[in-house]
Amino acid sequence: GAVMDGVDVGVPMVDQLAGHLIALHKQAYAGFGVINSQLSPSNVWPTQLHKTLKKSAKKWGGVSKQNDRYLKQALAACETIQTDEFIPMMPDLRWDLFLALDGKLHALVDLDAFVLAPRELDIVLLEYILTAEHFNRFIDVYSEHHSIPEINHVRPAYRLLLFYMQILGEVDIDEWMN
């Protein structure tokens, strides 16, 4: 398998992750936010995302031309986002959060937070933590239970959001966005 986050990831682990997310994504909510808190209604998600990206760009020191270009693309993507379904998601999902034995996932050992977020955000995150081959495998397994959301139009916004959240500690914005 592919070694990611120091974990040797094989197809059985990808299948297990798919099973885990299939089960999680069956629980859909009409609002977003931190689980067990007051949820925000779905109609404010695009506006909230827009605000968060602008605020984060400033905090990040939005001076570079690349940052500005990515921000413009992301804000334009916010205009196209329509979602009325939010699923439980671990925004910091990485392979090193799991205890793996004999090529299988045994336990989730480091859980910071679950939030309710659009399914598209989870799929964009998976593009980062899975190899292309594993991502395709994931999609095959996942699509037996859920439709695959269209992510091309939202990808610029969600990639930038994940970058600003420092999900995987990436510092090169060009590398991350591409």
Side-chain angles (χ1 to χ4, degrees), residues 157-168:
Y158 291 159
R159 278 189 174 176
L160 193 60
L161 178 66
L162 292 168
F163 179 80
Y164 287 148
M165 289 168 70
Q166 284 293 280
I167 295 302
L168 302 176

Side-chain angles (χ1 to χ4, degrees), residues 129-144:
I129 66 167
L130 297 173
T131 63
E133 186 185 340
H134 284 161
F135 183 78
N136 291 335
R137 172 68 186 196
F138 174 90
I139 293 300
D140 287 347
V141 175
Y142 184 90
S143 64
E144 290 172 22

Side-chain angles (χ1 to χ4, degrees), residues 63-72 172-174:
V63 286
S64 78
K65 280 202 165 51
Q66 295 99 305
N67 198 3
D68 199 42
R69 179 168 52 96
Y70 295 130
L71 181 62
K72 278 193 179 100
D172 183 336
I173 193 168
D174 289 319

Side-chain angles (χ1 to χ4, degrees), residues 83-102:
T83 187
D84 52 10
E85 191 180 85
F86 300 87
I87 47 86
M89 161 184 189
M90 282 176 53
D92 63 343
L93 182 67
R94 301 183 313 274
W95 288 111
D96 63 347
L97 302 180
F98 292 95
L99 183 62
L101 294 168
D102 302 324

Side-chain angles (χ1 to χ4, degrees), residues 103-172:
K104 289 200 169 76
L105 299 178
H106 278 272
L108 180 60
V109 290
D110 180 12
L111 176 61
D112 286 337
F114 263 105
V115 296
L116 293 173
R119 226 158 28 112
E120 293 83 347
L121 184 59
D122 222 359
I123 302 295
V124 170
L125 174 58
L126 289 168
E127 290 183 314
Y128 285 109
I129 66 167
L130 297 173
T131 63
E133 186 185 340
H134 284 161
F135 183 78
N136 291 335
R137 172 68 186 196
F138 174 90
I139 293 300
D140 287 347
V141 175
Y142 184 90
S143 64
E144 290 172 22
H145 301 270
H146 295 290
S147 62
I148 304 298
E150 176 50 58
I151 59 173
N152 288 335
H153 65 293
V154 298
R155 191 181 279 120
Y158 291 159
R159 278 189 174 176
L160 193 60
L161 178 66
L162 292 168
F163 179 80
Y164 287 148
M165 289 168 70
Q166 284 293 280
I167 295 302
L168 302 176
E170 183 59 60
V171 290
D172 183 336

Side-chain angles (χ1 to χ4, degrees), residues 5-71:
D5 296 324
V7 179
D8 186 19
V9 178
V11 170
M13 288 169 67
V14 174
D15 289 352
Q16 281 184 287
L17 181 64
H20 174 66
L21 293 181
I22 285 164
L24 269 181
H25 291 185
K26 281 187 177 146
Q27 306 167 57
Y29 298 81
F32 65 94
V34 178
I35 290 182
N36 296 331
S37 70
Q38 181 66 48
L39 298 180
S40 301
S42 62
N43 63 330
V44 301
W45 171 258
T47 319
Q48 211 45 50
L49 179 61
H50 196 279
K51 272 189 210 150
T52 301
L53 289 169
K54 281 179 89 156
K55 216 185 312 178
S56 300
K58 273 200 190 80
K59 207 169 96 186
W60 196 256
V63 286
S64 78
K65 280 202 165 51
Q66 295 99 305
N67 198 3
D68 199 42
R69 179 168 52 96
Y70 295 130
L71 181 62

